Amino acid sequence: MAVGPGTLPEFYPVAGIKVGIASAGIKKLGRKDVVVFELAPESRVAGIFTKNQFCAAPVTLSRRHLAETSPRYLLINTGNANAGTGEQGMRDAMACCQALAKQAGVTEAEILPFSTGVIGEPLPVQKIVGALPEALANTVENRWAEAASGIMTTDTRPKGASCQIELDGHTVTISGISKGAGMIRPNMATMLGFIATDARIAPELLQTLASELGEKSFNRITIDGDTSTNDACMLMASGQYSGPEITASSAALPKLREALQAIYLELAHAIVRDGEGATKFVTIDVSGAAGQQEALDVAYTVAHSPLVKTALFASDPNWGRILAAVGRAGVEGLDLNALEIYLGDVCLVRNGGRAEDYSEARGQAVMDREEITIAIDLKRGDVRETVWTCDFSHDYVTINAEYRT
């Protein structure tokens, strides 16, 4: 069950970025569960990672390798998170990197590992290593759609986005994939994202873009309020296009940033639309805040309320649940008579209580939609923040009760 059609786009191959895929049989025989990205030698990589202190071994190792050198390969496996596995987990992650490095003719530090799946289980190193020759043998630039399927766990469908833009007469390509359906709540927002462009981007700017774009997309989504041990989102720039290097002062930067932001948002929204058991895609828009933190506090309090999320699933316009969530968000000195709460274009709350022109029929008409906006104007300032979430259904409980079976 998911919201919207969820069809994959036509992917534009990114020059200098090849993708290989293989089956290791980690959780299910015959399933494509190992993905390898091969990057041109002059490529640059930046990224953001989970802030969960129990971060997985591959997260620790990827951070370390990224600080040491320019990566040449990304190695992703699904079916096993290699998290909560202690020192053995680190040895296993390093063993996979060493095996790929040996076969590809690069150093171990030039490999970034990523894992997703069940926490606390030993990584099946031999299965992954055994699948590497197949993945390396079929690396091509147009395998993005297969890779999108190869990184899935409880996802019901693959997720991807792709576009081309013109920068000063040069065509720039951007393609990306993401995965995630549960255990989704930033810091960062279990999810993985891989976005690549053939643009040549200065290293310091690339990290700035990765952080800023991730903050306003993957770090603004939540399914269930649980921050994963394995979250990572990587931005790769192969530098293969024919234009000049893009720096912080380049006139072309705003257009590139806008295109990248659109890709990041599409991939992040796709995760929410495919949230475990989701039947609604919900935008929570908080405006009129005095500061960013209070805007996010209000948005996440509403987004994480089980009562709000179950009302959304039932298409029940029980607006009192939204009002109660706003009231317990911890905003000091909130003027209850000033703020307004809307469901779509229907005002629910005004002057401290139910809006005089509200009717159950109007609220029901909005709640019956697949895509819903809850807008909250705090009337305290000019800060605005948006968070995206989904409802809680019976299927969410079932999926997570049976996750390891």
Side-chain angles (χ1 to χ4, degrees):
M1 187 180 297
V3 182
T7 53
L8 282 176
E10 176 185 353
F11 282 100
Y12 296 103
V14 179
I17 308 288
K18 294 181 179 180
V19 186
I21 188 166
S23 175
I26 295 171
K27 198 171 181 181
K28 184 177 179 181
L29 290 176
R31 187 192 188 284
K32 299 295 187 182
D33 51 12
V34 170
V35 175
V36 170
F37 281 91
E38 179 185 328
L39 283 59
E42 56 270 38
S43 299
R44 294 161 179 167
V45 181
I48 53 177
F49 298 90
T50 182
K51 294 181 181 178
N52 191 311
Q53 292 188 59
F54 257 116
C55 65
V59 170
T60 299
L61 199 54
S62 283
R63 281 178 172 146
R64 182 186 303 170
H65 287 179
L66 198 56
E68 291 176 0
T69 188
S70 296
R72 290 292 314 284
Y73 288 86
L74 276 58
L75 170 60
I76 307 113
N77 75 268
T78 185
N80 185 296
N82 194 14
T85 48
E87 287 301 317
Q88 185 60 51
M90 281 298 295
R91 288 193 292 270
D92 290 343
M94 288 189 286
C96 291
C97 289
Q98 289 164 356
L100 179 55
K102 183 177 180 179
Q103 294 181 43
V106 298
T107 66
E108 178 188 337
E110 291 175 291
I111 312 292
L112 300 185
F114 304 87
S115 298
T116 182
V118 176
I119 294 171
E121 297 291 335
L123 189 70
V125 174
Q126 293 309 311
K127 288 184 177 181
I128 295 171
V129 171
L132 294 180
E134 178 189 354
L136 287 172
N138 65 40
T139 54
V140 292
E141 290 180 351
N142 62 353
R143 193 150 277 146
W144 284 89
E146 293 171 78
S149 295
I151 63 173
M152 292 166 52
T153 49
T154 60
D155 308 60
T156 67
R157 60 197 189 189
K159 304 163 179 66
S162 189
C163 73
Q164 287 186 323
I165 59 172
E166 292 294 317
L167 292 183
D168 297 329
H170 304 280
T171 300
V172 170
T173 300
I174 306 169
S175 288
I177 58 175
S178 64
K179 64 80 50 181
M183 197 180 277
I184 302 294
R185 192 274 166 105
N187 286 306
M188 304 240 302
T190 298
M191 70 138 284
L192 295 174
F194 303 98
I195 298 95
T197 178
D198 56 0
R200 186 177 300 109
I201 303 174
E204 63 278 6
L205 174 60
L206 191 68
Q207 183 58 59
T208 297
L209 288 170
S211 300
E212 291 179 353
L213 297 170
E215 183 63 23
K216 290 294 186 177
S217 56
F218 293 107
N219 271 352
R220 292 292 185 273
I221 63 174
T222 180
I223 302 298
D224 43 28
D226 277 312
T227 297
S228 168
T229 54
N230 290 64
D231 298 331
C233 182
M234 310 309 295
L235 178 58
M236 302 168 273
S238 70
Q240 300 297 298
Y241 91 128
S242 54
E245 181 177 74
I246 297 172
T247 66
S249 60
S250 296
L253 177 57
K255 188 174 182 179
L256 176 63
R257 180 189 280 114
E258 181 181 6
L260 283 167
Q261 183 72 79
I263 295 292
Y264 269 71
L265 279 171
E266 188 172 346
L267 294 174
H269 289 179
I271 290 174
V272 177
R273 292 178 181 278
D274 193 30
E276 290 172 342
T279 69
K280 309 277 190 182
F281 177 80
V282 185
T283 300
I284 301 178
D285 181 39
V286 178
S287 61
Q292 182 187 60
Q293 191 56 56
E294 73 174 34
L296 291 174
D297 286 345
V298 171
Y300 280 122
T301 303
V302 175
H304 292 151
S305 167
L307 292 178
V308 172
K309 292 170 86 69
T310 49
L312 287 163
F313 171 62
S315 297
D316 178 12
N318 191 344
W319 58 269
R321 294 182 176 184
I322 301 172
L323 176 147
V326 173
R328 66 179 174 83
V331 178
E332 295 291 335
L334 190 60
D335 187 344
L336 303 181
N337 291 315
L339 68 81
E340 294 180 346
I341 303 174
Y342 285 80
L343 186 64
D345 59 355
V346 177
C347 186
L348 304 175
V349 176
R350 185 186 293 124
N351 297 323
R354 184 173 65 182
E356 64 281 355
D357 55 346
Y358 173 76
S359 71
E360 188 85 358
R362 295 182 68 208
Q364 188 66 62
V366 177
M367 272 298 211
D368 286 339
R369 301 170 188 167
E370 269 196 336
E371 302 195 18
I372 296 171
T373 296
I374 297 171
I376 303 154
D377 187 351
L378 299 178
K379 307 286 188 180
R380 293 162 55 86
D382 56 6
V383 176
R384 185 174 198 161
E385 287 289 346
T386 304
V387 167
W388 295 275
T389 191
C390 61
D391 56 336
F392 267 162
S393 71
H394 304 297
D395 286 346
Y396 177 85
V397 177
T398 300
I399 289 166
N400 284 283
E402 301 175 351
Y403 182 69
R404 296 202 300 165
T405 60

